Structures are given as structure tokens and as C-alpha cells.
Amino acid sequence: MLDYNVPGGKLNRGLSVVDSYKLLKGEEELTEDEVFLACALGWCIEWLQAYFLVLDDIMDESHTRRGQPCWFRLPKVGMIAVNDGVVLRNHIPRILKKHFRSKSYYVDLLDLFNEVEFQTASGQMIDLITTLVGEKDLSKYSLSIHRRIVQYKTAYYSFYIPVACALLMFGENLDDHVQVKDVLVEMGIYYQVQDDYLDCFGAPEVVGKIRSDIEDFKCSWLVVKALELANEEQKKLLNGVFEDYENKTHEKLVKSIETHPSNAVQAVLKSFLGKIYKRQK
């Protein structure tokens, strides 16, 4: 179950802890122990991701994930996958306890993972109740609703938590880095807009999954934008609208990042942005 669900993705979230810590401390100054601890935190995030995805696929009745059948679709698994998701989640505090219990930031790590899990579950709830199965009502969709869903469902656990883990390891207080959180949340929203775009226009063999957000009446950025633009003729302009959004968002994020006083933190944020700008999957 672990082999099927945890390591199969791009591992961007986990690797970003290591990359961020290297940029904060300086790669030449890292000890073997520090690299190991950063990797352990990275794997905690990948475990969290696996837990979310196993349950999300059941709720969405999805068929494929990362180029293979969803875990619950396997004949011998089915609804056992619900308990598997709970087991995945419960590995996280065990890993943290084993490797970080003696660290001054141990409680902060526990708080961080608990808070991010709550934020993500809240985003999933808003998404699910906005898109009730069988209810084909687009009237409640808007950019503000889309933003709220994405901010909570994706941005915190995909973008904020890897950098927050690295900052805690580096001895920083997260309350002193609200601007960093704000930039990463904006980046997470941009990432999800890309995902919505690729859901419709990306090649399934490249993206690794067959998606149907629009058919399922999900609150997708493309749907929201199409509704905003109104008539049939304007729907043809969605490609151009996305490219314009991507370029303007990139420019805005770079400006926000460059206002941060720390060059090391700027490097962390620019590294993140570089990984997702104009991505194809």
C-alpha cells in the first residue's frame, strides 16, 4: 500500500524541503544529519499528500492517478482504502516523534502539520459542497469561490508547508514570515489554475491522469473564466486568457519576492516559482 501510494509522484513537495533548507543555510555548510532530517520532513509531506489523494480519489470517484488505477479501484482494495488513508496520516506523527522529539521546534512541527491538514480538509469540504454530485448549477461559481477552494485545498500543503518546515529547521519563527506565506499561497493558486488548464488541454499521457473536472461541474478556473466572459465566441479565447494570466501572475510574484529583505528567502521562493512556471504536467 505504501509503495503504491507514497513514492509514485514527482516528489516536488518533499524535495522542496531539502532544496529550501540548502538555500537557507548554504549547501556547503550542511551536515549529513541535517540532510537526513530535511529528507524526513519531506517524506512526511509526501505521506500527507498520499493520504489526501487516496481519500480524494474515492470522493471524486476517480479512475487513474499518476498513470495507474486509483488505489481503491484495485479489486482487492475497494473501501479498505479509507482505512489505508487513515494509516498513511498516522505515520506522520510517528516519523516526527522518532526523529524530532528532542528538537526545540518539535511542537511547532506538530502544530504546522495539524494546521495544514485542517486547512486542506476545509478546502476539500468547500469544494465538495460547491460541486454536489448530480447538481449542475453553475450560478454559485465565481473567482472568489475558486480562490478560496484552491487556497485551502492546495496552496497550504503544496507550497507553504515545505518552506515552513525548512524555516523551522533553520531556527526561524513562522510568525515572522507572514509575507513568505502570502507569496507561497499566491503561487499555490497559480499552480492550481495551471492544473485546471492542463485538466482540459493537457495530454493525458503527459499529465498522467484522465481528468473530467468540467464534465463533473467542478469549480474549475476555466469554467469560472468562461462564465465571466459569457458568450460562445469568447469561450474560444480561453487559451489566450490563460497565457495572459500566467504571464501577469509570474510578473506579480517576482515583484513580491524581490521585496523580501533576505536574499536566501528570495532564492527559496524563486526556486519554487521556477519549478512551476509554464509547466506541462
Side-chain angles (χ1 to χ4, degrees), residues 76-262:
K76 292 183 180 179
V77 179
M79 286 303 108
I80 296 171
V82 175
N83 192 66
D84 289 337
V86 175
V87 171
L88 285 163
R89 170 62 181 95
N90 279 276
H91 276 120
I92 297 166
R94 296 173 73 84
I95 295 169
L96 293 177
K97 183 178 179 181
K98 182 171 183 178
H99 298 294
F100 295 91
R101 193 174 187 180
S102 64
K103 303 295 182 185
S104 60
Y105 52 87
Y106 174 56
V107 172
D108 296 314
L109 280 175
L110 292 174
D111 282 347
L112 176 65
F113 275 90
N114 286 337
E115 183 64 16
V116 167
E117 182 188 8
F118 174 71
Q119 289 163 329
T120 307
S122 298
Q124 175 75 341
M125 180 186 69
I126 300 167
D127 190 18
L128 291 168
I129 64 177
T130 305
T131 56
L132 292 172
V133 176
E135 187 178 296
K136 300 183 177 181
D137 176 19
L138 299 178
S139 63
K140 53 193 171 183
Y141 293 171
S142 65
L143 275 177
S144 62
I145 290 288
H146 178 268
R147 182 184 175 86
R148 187 184 300 170
I149 290 170
V150 171
Q151 177 177 345
Y152 286 94
K153 185 178 175 180
T154 302
Y156 288 111
Y157 95 90
S158 296
F159 284 81
Y160 175 59
I161 197 171
V163 175
C165 283
L167 286 169
L168 287 175
M169 266 192 73
F170 193 56
E172 294 289 320
N173 184 332
L174 295 182
D175 291 338
D176 297 334
H177 292 282
V178 175
Q179 183 195 356
V180 172
K181 181 195 276 190
D182 291 344
V183 169
L184 288 164
V185 166
E186 287 298 324
M187 230 180 273
I189 291 167
Y190 162 49
Y191 178 88
Q192 185 59 48
V193 171
Q194 288 179 313
D195 225 39
D196 290 349
Y197 177 83
L198 292 171
D199 179 272
C200 183
F201 297 114
E205 64 273 15
V206 177
V207 178
K209 49 195 168 186
I210 299 166
R211 298 279 294 271
S212 56
D213 284 356
I214 292 174
E215 294 95 314
D216 295 340
F217 280 77
K218 286 276 186 182
C219 188
S220 162
W221 184 84
L222 289 172
V223 170
V224 170
K225 271 294 174 188
L227 290 169
E228 193 181 80
L229 293 172
N231 64 45
E232 290 296 323
E233 278 301 306
Q234 288 173 314
K235 288 177 187 176
K236 296 173 186 173
L237 300 175
L238 276 175
N239 273 313
V241 171
F242 172 73
E243 287 169 15
D244 185 53
Y245 163 84
E246 182 162 55
N247 292 330
K248 285 181 178 174
T249 301
H250 183 264
E251 190 179 324
K252 178 183 167 188
L253 284 167
V254 169
K255 284 180 181 174
S256 295
I257 292 166
E258 289 177 348
T259 64
H260 198 282
S262 165

